[in-house]
Amino acid sequence: MIGVGSAPLKPLAGLRVLEFAQIAAGPFTGSLFADLGADVVKIERPDGGDGMRGWPPLHAGENGTDPFSGNFSSLNRNKRSVALDIKNKADVERLYALVENADIFVENFRPGALIRAGLGYEQLRLCNSRLVYCSLTGYGQTGPYAQKGAFDVTVQAMSGVMSVTGEPDGPPVKCGVPVGDFVTGLYAAFTILAATMRARQTGQGAHIDCSILGSLLGISALQTSEYFGTGKPPRRLGSAHPRNAPYAGFDAADKPFTIAAGNDKLWRDTCAIVGRPDLSDDQRFVTQSLRAQNQDQLAAILQPIFATRTAAEWLAAFDAKGVPCAPINNFADILSDPHVREMGWVQPMTMPNGSTAETVGFPIGISDFAFEITRTPPKLGEHSEEVFDEWTQRRTARAL
C-alpha cells in the first residue's frame, strides 16, 4: 500500500500506542513501534518524567545549557510526550480520553499499582474493548515473586543466565548488555502485534503478561534443554561452546580474536590453516562431539600456534577459507566499522536542545521502507495539547 504521494506507507502507520513506562524494557518496546511508524505517545509524570532523562551522557545545548540525555534519546526518538499526574482526577480522565482512541497500552508498573489508580486492564477495557494492554514486570502478574522488586541484573541472577556467564574458574557475571530488559521488549512487541491482529479480527483486546524472568528463560532454550536432558545445570565456559570446538576466543600475538569451526569441514580447514593437518585424524578430535568433550586439550594445542601471528593475519587466513571468525571489538571499533556504516545503522540524531549525536537506528531492513528519525526525542510534556487535540478530534469524528 502506498501512502501520500509516492512514499511507501510505514509498516505500523495508523497504530496508536500509549507508553506508560520508564527506563528500559517498556520504552524499548515503544521504540520498536515508533521506529516502524506507529504514533507512540509517552505518558510521563510531570515531576521529572522518565527516570532515564537524567542518565548520562548528557548533551549540552547552546552555551552549555539544557543538557539532554543520550541514553533517554536512544530509546525515545520518534515519540511524543504527554505529562499527566495519575493522582489527579482530571488527569486520569484525560488519560481515559486517550485510551478510548488507542490500540495499545504499554506499562511497567508493579502488579496492582495501576489497578489501584483505576488504570488496570479490566478497567480500561470498559471504555475500549479492543485495547491490547501489555504489562512488563520482573516476574509476572501472579506467583510468589509478583511483588518482588526487579532490575535487569537481579533477574539475570534469578534466571540462571549469570550462572553460565563468565570464565569457568571465575565468579558468575551479568551480561554487559542489559539483555533481560531488551529481550523482554522484543517479546512484548512481538506478542502485542499478535494480539493486535486478533483484536482487529474479533474486536476483543487482550492483557499481555510479559516478564523479564519468563523472557530470559525463553531465550535460554539450549541451556534449559541441556538440564532437562541430563539433570545437570550447564556450567560457565567463558567464550567456549558446550557442543562445539574450536568455537571460542584465542590470543593472537597482539590481541584476542574468535573462531567458530562449527562442523567437520570447517575443522579440517582450520587444521590446514594452522599447519597441523594431522589433528583432523587425531582420535580425540575426529567428531564434533569429541572435540567438544576434549576442547581443553584442543585449546592447549592451538593457543601456542595462534600466539605466533597477529590477529589480523589469522583472521585473513580464516576468512580466505570461509571459516567464521571475528576480532573481539569494543564499541568504538564496531561503531566505526565500514560494514556498519555501509549498512546505514548509525544515524545522526538531533535533540530538543539543538545538540546532535549519533545513534543506532532500527537495524532490520524491510523492502520499500527506510528507517528515519522523524521526531526528536521529546521534552517532558512537549506534546500534551497537540496529542489531546489530535486524538480527541479523531475520536469525535468516529462518533459522528
Side-chain angles (χ1 to χ4, degrees):
M1 181 182 294
I2 302 299
V4 177
S6 59
L9 190 67
K10 294 179 180 180
L12 298 183
L15 269 184
R16 298 177 294 278
V17 181
L18 292 176
E19 177 202 297
F20 199 8
Q22 66 169 341
I23 307 298
F28 179 58
T29 304
S31 76
L32 295 172
F33 284 90
D35 283 351
L36 294 181
D39 185 4
V40 178
V41 173
K42 187 176 183 72
I43 306 298
E44 301 184 77
R45 65 182 192 277
D47 58 338
D50 187 334
M52 193 176 273
R53 286 184 176 276
W55 287 22
L58 299 176
H59 298 265
E62 294 183 6
N63 302 318
T65 59
D66 301 322
F68 203 85
S69 169
N71 269 190
F72 175 85
S73 298
S74 68
L75 296 182
N76 292 284
R77 62 193 180 219
N78 288 332
K79 300 177 185 177
R80 298 191 281 181
S81 172
V82 168
L84 292 173
D85 181 0
I86 63 172
K87 296 180 181 179
N88 181 295
K89 183 178 179 181
D91 278 2
V92 171
E93 291 177 354
R94 298 191 84 195
L95 181 52
Y96 261 83
L98 295 180
V99 169
E100 289 181 35
N101 203 45
D103 298 292
I104 297 160
F105 188 95
V106 177
E107 61 93 3
N108 67 347
F109 288 73
R110 286 200 193 189
L114 288 188
I115 295 175
R116 293 189 291 273
L119 298 169
Y121 171 65
E122 294 296 336
Q123 294 152 316
L124 295 189
R125 71 192 295 256
L126 295 177
C127 72
N128 183 349
S129 62
R130 58 186 172 76
L131 184 69
V132 173
Y133 185 114
C134 182
S135 298
L136 295 99
T137 58
Y139 300 101
Q141 296 296 298
T142 59
Y145 299 152
Q147 294 299 321
K148 186 177 176 65
F151 276 105
D152 178 89
V153 64
T154 62
V155 191
Q156 280 198 43
M158 179 74 78
S159 69
V161 167
M162 283 179 61
S163 76
V164 295
T165 307
E167 294 298 324
D169 56 352
V173 297
K174 74 176 181 67
C175 179
V177 171
V179 62
D181 283 334
F182 284 81
V183 75
T184 303
L186 288 167
Y187 265 118
F190 178 77
T191 310
I192 288 168
L193 279 179
T196 300
M197 291 180 65
R198 188 180 67 178
R200 290 189 167 184
Q201 295 171 339
T202 67
Q204 295 300 313
H207 185 197
I208 296 169
D209 180 4
C210 189
S211 70
I212 301 176
L213 180 58
S215 298
L216 285 175
L217 288 175
I219 65 165
S220 301
L222 301 185
Q223 288 70 33
T224 57
S225 62
E226 181 177 341
Y227 171 72
F228 290 140
T230 66
K232 298 178 181 179
R235 59 190 179 92
R236 291 186 296 284
L237 294 173
S239 62
H241 193 286
R243 285 168 287 280
N244 250 321
Y247 191 106
F250 292 93
D251 290 317
D254 56 344
K255 58 184 180 181
F257 70 100
T258 61
I259 60 168
N263 58 44
D264 290 338
K265 178 186 181 303
L266 294 173
W267 164 238
R268 290 192 295 271
D269 289 338
T270 296
C271 293
I273 291 168
V274 301
R276 289 292 305 274
D278 58 298
L279 290 176
S280 63
D281 296 321
D282 189 309
Q283 291 304 300
R284 296 171 295 175
F285 312 132
V286 292
T287 67
Q288 180 175 305
S289 179
L290 285 170
R291 290 193 294 277
Q293 291 176 33
N294 299 306
Q295 61 180 289
D296 290 344
Q297 297 173 53
L298 179 56
I301 295 171
L302 294 177
Q303 178 53 66
I305 299 172
F306 289 138
T308 63
R309 300 171 66 185
T310 67
E313 290 174 310
W314 286 119
L315 292 171
F318 283 116
D319 276 332
K321 282 284 192 178
V323 178
C325 62
I328 299 177
N329 287 328
N330 61 31
F331 281 105
D333 297 326
I334 191 58
L335 292 175
S336 60
D337 186 277
H339 181 82
V340 172
R341 293 289 170 167
E342 176 68 22
M343 296 297 288
W345 292 329
V346 175
Q347 298 201 6
M349 175 175 58
T350 302
M351 300 180 195
N353 61 8
S355 63
T356 59
E358 289 187 310
T359 191
V360 176
F362 192 81
I364 310 301
I366 304 175
S367 59
D368 296 324
F369 168 72
F371 166 78
E372 59 183 333
I373 299 175
T374 57
R375 290 192 175 109
T376 61
K379 293 181 180 179
L380 175 59
E382 178 181 352
H383 305 97
S384 295
E385 298 311 315
E386 172 184 299
V387 168
F388 281 109
D389 287 345
E390 287 182 17
W391 284 34
T392 302
Q393 288 174 6
R394 189 178 300 178
R395 179 168 57 89
T396 302
R398 283 183 176 182
L400 293 175

